[in-house]
Amino acid sequence: MMRRSVELEIITEALQTGSGNNRRRADFIWGRARGASHTAGAEGNVWAADVHDVALHIVTRLYGRPDTTPEASPLVQAEQAKRLRDIDGEVAARLDAAVGLASAPWYPARPGDLVHVAYEQAGDMPPFGETYIVDDAGDNLMGLQLLAHTLPKTVAGLDAETTAAMVGFFSSEASDEPLYEAWYEAGPHRLTIVRDGRPVHIGGAR
């Protein structure tokens, strides 16, 4: 999610919880028109607004409308452009992926880097993650080796052998760019990269 969406969450929570002694969680904000009578039977002067709508209005006035477009990997973007017969868009998606990776402040990858790929739930496939390590393959090349994954041994009736074949897709013995396939196919928003114990890229960070 983008930064403005974080602010939307903060403002929504603030409106829901109130302040002072009024700490009850609320889904609506109630008010009375200015100058309206406080006597019984003046219901027509009372208004209510959904907390989320009010928060969105505030964020939009301050920062512009939040971007709620789902993130997609460069591969998905290229495939979408191809289906639309948009050759320029397809080429741009491929080039942008290479440029985005090469321009990252932590680039290039180094032996010892840990790379975690997070997958969302898809149909009967549960969400899971894979962790790889970059290693020195010699001759100025690097490999990407699978260290661990969280995919259950059996998924939606699949046997263990079939399930095991569904992980380690981005492993490589030797490459001059061991992270490109994961960056392009899974997408940078699904990757978390740790170097010397510190995260240098956190995909999808709020």
Side-chain angles (χ1 to χ4, degrees), residues 4 12 35 49 52 61 74 83 111 136 152 166 176 179 186 198 202:
R4 290 196 300 270
T12 301
H52 296 281
R61 293 294 296 270
R83 284 196 296 271
D136 187 348
M166 300 173 70
D176 56 356
L179 301 187
R198 295 184 178 181
I202 305 177

Side-chain angles (χ1 to χ4, degrees), residues 148-202:
H149 67 83
T150 60
L151 184 66
K153 291 183 178 181
T154 56
V155 177
L158 300 178
D159 57 43
E161 182 178 354
T162 302
T163 303
M166 300 173 70
V167 298
F169 183 77
F170 299 115
S171 297
S172 64
E173 293 297 327
S175 171
D176 56 356
E177 184 42 80
L179 301 187
Y180 179 76
E181 285 192 8
W183 186 272
Y184 177 70
E185 298 185 19
H189 62 290
R190 290 195 178 99
L191 304 185
T192 298
I193 301 172
V194 177
R195 174 174 295 164
D196 299 331
R198 295 184 178 181
V200 294
H201 173 82
I202 305 177

Side-chain angles (χ1 to χ4, degrees), residues 60-163:
T60 301
R61 293 294 296 270
L62 290 174
Y63 309 105
R65 185 168 297 278
D67 185 356
T68 57
T69 303
E71 293 180 281
S73 70
L75 173 62
V76 171
Q77 295 176 40
E79 290 178 340
Q80 290 173 341
K82 185 175 182 178
R83 284 196 296 271
L84 295 173
R85 301 181 184 278
D86 179 5
I87 301 300
D88 291 339
E90 182 181 357
V91 173
R94 299 178 186 278
L95 291 177
D96 288 348
V99 172
L101 176 58
S103 62
W106 46 265
Y107 181 87
R110 300 177 188 172
D113 285 354
L114 295 175
V115 182
H116 182 78
V117 186
Y119 301 96
E120 303 89 354
Q121 180 171 350
D124 293 330
M125 181 69 67
F128 73 99
E130 297 178 306
T131 301
Y132 296 83
I133 187 170
V134 178
D135 62 7
D136 187 348
D139 297 326
N140 295 319
L141 300 176
M142 290 175 284
L144 192 63
Q145 306 301 323
L146 179 67
L147 287 180
H149 67 83
T150 60
L151 184 66
K153 291 183 178 181
T154 56
V155 177
L158 300 178
D159 57 43
E161 182 178 354
T162 302
T163 303

